[in-house]
Amino acid sequence: AIMYHDYVFWMGDLNFRLQEDTFSFEEISMKVSLNELQDLLEVDQLTLARKEGLAFSEVDETLPQFKPTFKLKVGTDVYDAKRRPAWTDRILYKVNTGNYDDVKLKLTQQNYRSHPEFYESDHKPVSSFFRIAVFSNKLADQLLLKAFHPVVKFHIDEVYLDEDNVLVYTVDTKDMRYLRSWDWIGVYRADTFNLETYLAFLWAPSHPARDNAYELYFDENVFIRSGKYRLAYHSSDSRDILGISPPFPARVRDLVPEVGVEASEEL
């Protein structure tokens, strides 16, 4: 489960508002103008839900010290009276300090801020800068941390549309211990950010075709549209991603004109 990873970051428009029957739009606007944010945060739904164990109680948040980021009139810094202002856009985090016996994980939040200089939406974006402790190569190898470096390395230049394609990936001998039966490789459009939206998949071959190289055989029905794609190798054992390919193009193969030679009698 995602909550057991070393570090967890949960962010987005979580859509929590201020409690109903507390402050009116006018009262909120006045308190924001006077920078009396603490009064508003005391009725912030996300903060209350976390305290009561109703939602997101497993993660932490530094309470916002910036103005509510929703709802503004697009192109302005003026709140839209159709909705009461609220901190709908949040960044939550968690560090699982007990994941290792001899290693102490550490996370420090350096800042948490909004960006009022953006006017393209009725939200103001938020960002945060974190400093985290990571493993050295030597320590990661001692702890057998497969996710520390890519285990699977893809070697793909391009693929051809409406054709069978053979793609290759390699795995160092020392890393083959991480491979399992029922591992699989997903095909994604390069601009996809959701690992669940794969276009097709193949089960990973159980043995290399040669040396440390494995071959994947995709039939003509996989790459049917031009554009850029990626492959991702999914571990069935740990549910980790053991490797992601760089984007590669899919295109129609260039046709080479046939040259005909006609024999004729020598005069």
Side-chain angles (χ1 to χ4, degrees):
I2 189 172
M3 287 300 176
Y4 294 105
H5 283 62
D6 291 353
Y7 299 100
V8 179
F9 299 95
W10 198 304
M11 66 194 79
D13 176 9
L14 304 186
N15 210 27
F16 285 90
R17 311 300 177 89
L18 302 185
Q19 287 284 74
E20 297 293 337
D21 302 322
T22 53
F23 297 103
S24 66
F25 173 85
E26 291 75 16
E27 290 171 329
I28 296 171
S29 299
M30 177 62 71
K31 285 187 174 295
V32 170
S33 66
L34 297 174
N35 202 32
E36 295 178 354
L37 303 182
Q38 186 57 39
D39 292 342
L40 303 177
L41 287 169
E42 289 178 358
V43 294
D44 170 64
Q45 290 179 342
L46 176 57
T47 303
L48 295 174
R50 290 183 56 247
K51 287 181 179 179
E52 296 171 9
L54 299 176
F56 295 106
S57 58
E58 295 184 63
V59 290
D60 298 314
E61 184 193 30
T62 301
L63 286 180
Q65 299 301 309
F66 46 83
K67 297 177 181 180
T69 57
F70 176 83
K71 173 180 173 64
L72 296 103
K73 295 181 179 179
V74 177
T76 74
D77 290 316
V78 179
Y79 287 112
D80 190 334
K82 294 178 181 179
R83 295 287 190 277
R84 293 185 305 149
W87 289 276
T88 59
D89 310 284
R90 312 290 275 266
I91 299 176
L92 312 177
Y93 59 90
K94 179 181 181 180
V95 52
N96 283 302
T97 55
N99 273 6
Y100 307 95
D101 293 332
D102 302 320
V103 178
K104 182 178 180 181
L105 299 177
K106 183 179 180 181
L107 177 150
T108 305
Q109 188 175 31
Q110 303 290 319
N111 64 48
Y112 186 21
R113 58 178 296 238
S114 67
H115 296 269
E117 67 272 18
F118 288 91
Y119 295 96
E120 291 80 6
S121 170
D122 57 356
H123 293 252
K124 295 297 185 181
V126 301
S127 67
S128 185
F129 179 81
F130 294 91
R131 186 175 297 276
I132 63 175
V134 297
F135 296 99
S136 65
N137 285 323
K138 181 179 179 181
L139 182 57
D141 191 57
Q142 291 174 354
L143 296 174
L144 303 181
L145 297 179
K146 67 186 72 175
F148 185 79
H149 64 278
V151 170
V152 173
K153 302 176 181 65
F154 290 96
H155 306 274
I156 307 170
D157 293 324
E158 61 185 358
V159 296
Y160 298 111
L161 301 180
D162 302 316
E163 294 186 24
D164 295 344
N165 288 274
V166 180
L167 307 182
V168 175
Y169 66 87
T170 57
V171 180
D172 289 343
T173 302
K174 65 180 178 61
D175 290 331
M176 288 184 179
R177 57 188 170 178
Y178 301 127
L179 306 183
R180 296 290 185 270
S181 299
W182 306 111
D183 288 355
W184 58 282
I185 296 93
V187 180
Y188 300 86
R189 299 289 293 193
D191 57 358
T192 296
F193 297 98
N194 186 344
L195 290 172
E196 295 181 357
T197 58
Y198 53 87
L199 304 175
F201 78 95
L202 284 181
W203 298 114
S206 55
H207 301 287
R210 58 188 182 280
D211 298 329
N212 299 332
Y214 295 77
E215 293 183 343
L216 301 171
Y217 294 86
F218 291 97
D219 66 34
E220 62 183 7
N221 297 313
V222 174
F223 300 103
I224 58 176
R225 294 183 180 179
S226 61
K228 291 192 174 183
Y229 294 81
R230 287 182 187 269
L231 300 185
Y233 189 107
H234 296 254
S235 168
S236 62
D237 178 43
S238 62
R239 298 186 180 180
D240 285 335
I241 302 299
L242 302 189
I244 298 180
S245 75
F248 57 87
R251 65 178 181 85
V252 176
R253 186 188 295 271
D254 296 331
L255 297 178
V256 178
E258 295 183 1
V259 178
V261 178
E262 182 179 348
S264 61
E265 286 188 24
E266 184 178 345
L267 297 178

